[in-house]
Amino acid sequence: MAYTKLSNAQIAWRAAQDIEDGAYVNLGIGFPEMIAKFQPEGRDVTYHTENGVLGFGKAPAPGEEDWDLINAGKKAITLNPGASFFHHADSFAMVRGGHLDLAVLGAYQIAQNGDLANWRVGTKGVPAVGGAMDLVHGAKRVAVITDHVTKDGKPKLVETCTFPLTGLGCVTQVYTSLAVVDIEDGHFVLREKLPDMSFDELQALTGATLHVKDSIGDLVVPELG
């Protein structure tokens, strides 16, 4: 059956819907940063960036950037009322002290027991772990947003990670281009999938068994540019 996978913007939109009102959240560099753009109206979320800002807002309009105001990914940000600045060490004290409700990161692989690999593919490239190792064990909850498979079609959701690990047993939820998957008791539990995709099609693209509790919801998102 034909199906169209979600765009990065649509994955970010879906993840944004589950962020609780009043939460303190760190968004990983790159793809996860898009989540702030899709914060639901009327929901109060305070975003943290490890380079030392708490309470930043959406990206400024093109041409209105203040390059003294950037996030950890060196992208321009705006400030919400009550925003604060602090030293890098204080920022990581917030992370390591368990003061963040949620960290959302990208991934190369996620294992069914919640292990995360997101900083290096084997021995290729330049190692760039950043603050991820602190975030995955300092935040109260860790979610991942990612394509369901790699560029060459290999599963990113696997039985056991084969890439260097960022953290052990830290991920509890994964938002992909095809599904929303919880991690419970060492298993992938399918929560939602694209309505035009069969369970068997999804399982064939997943490197570990997908378990089902109760019913499977439809993964429905708006059209986004």
Side-chain angles (χ1 to χ4, degrees), residues 3 16 19 25 28 40 43 46 55 70 80-81 83 93 99 109-110 112 115 117 125 145 147 161 176 187 200 221 224:
Y3 58 86
I19 297 178
V25 180
R43 195 170 301 180
T46 303
I70 59 171
N80 290 330
H99 301 291
Q109 290 178 328
I110 312 99
Q112 61 186 347
D115 289 353
I145 59 174
D147 201 333
C161 292
T176 82
H187 301 298
D200 289 343
V221 301
L224 298 169

Side-chain angles (χ1 to χ4, degrees), residues 19 25-29 32-36 47-48 50 56 104:
I19 297 178
V25 180
N26 182 284
L27 302 176
I29 292 172
E33 293 171 336
M34 297 176 69
I35 288 175
Y47 293 108
H48 166 276
E50 58 261 40
F56 68 88
V104 186

Side-chain angles (χ1 to χ4, degrees), residues 124-174:
K124 297 178 181 178
V126 178
V129 68
M133 287 185 178
D134 294 276
L135 287 165
V136 297
H137 292 300
K140 295 173 185 174
R141 187 166 70 86
V142 177
V144 164
I145 59 174
T146 181
D147 201 333
H148 202 87
V149 297
T150 64
K151 291 180 180 178
D152 56 0
K154 295 179 180 178
K156 285 193 169 188
L157 281 67
V158 296
E159 290 184 353
T160 305
C161 292
T162 57
F163 298 148
L165 293 179
T166 307
L168 297 169
C170 53
V171 180
T172 60
Q173 196 160 49
V174 186

Side-chain angles (χ1 to χ4, degrees), residues 24 45-49 53-57 78-84 86:
Y24 286 80
V45 178
T46 303
Y47 293 108
H48 166 276
T49 177
V53 186
L54 187 68
F56 68 88
T78 58
L79 301 178
N80 290 330
S84 59
F86 33 87

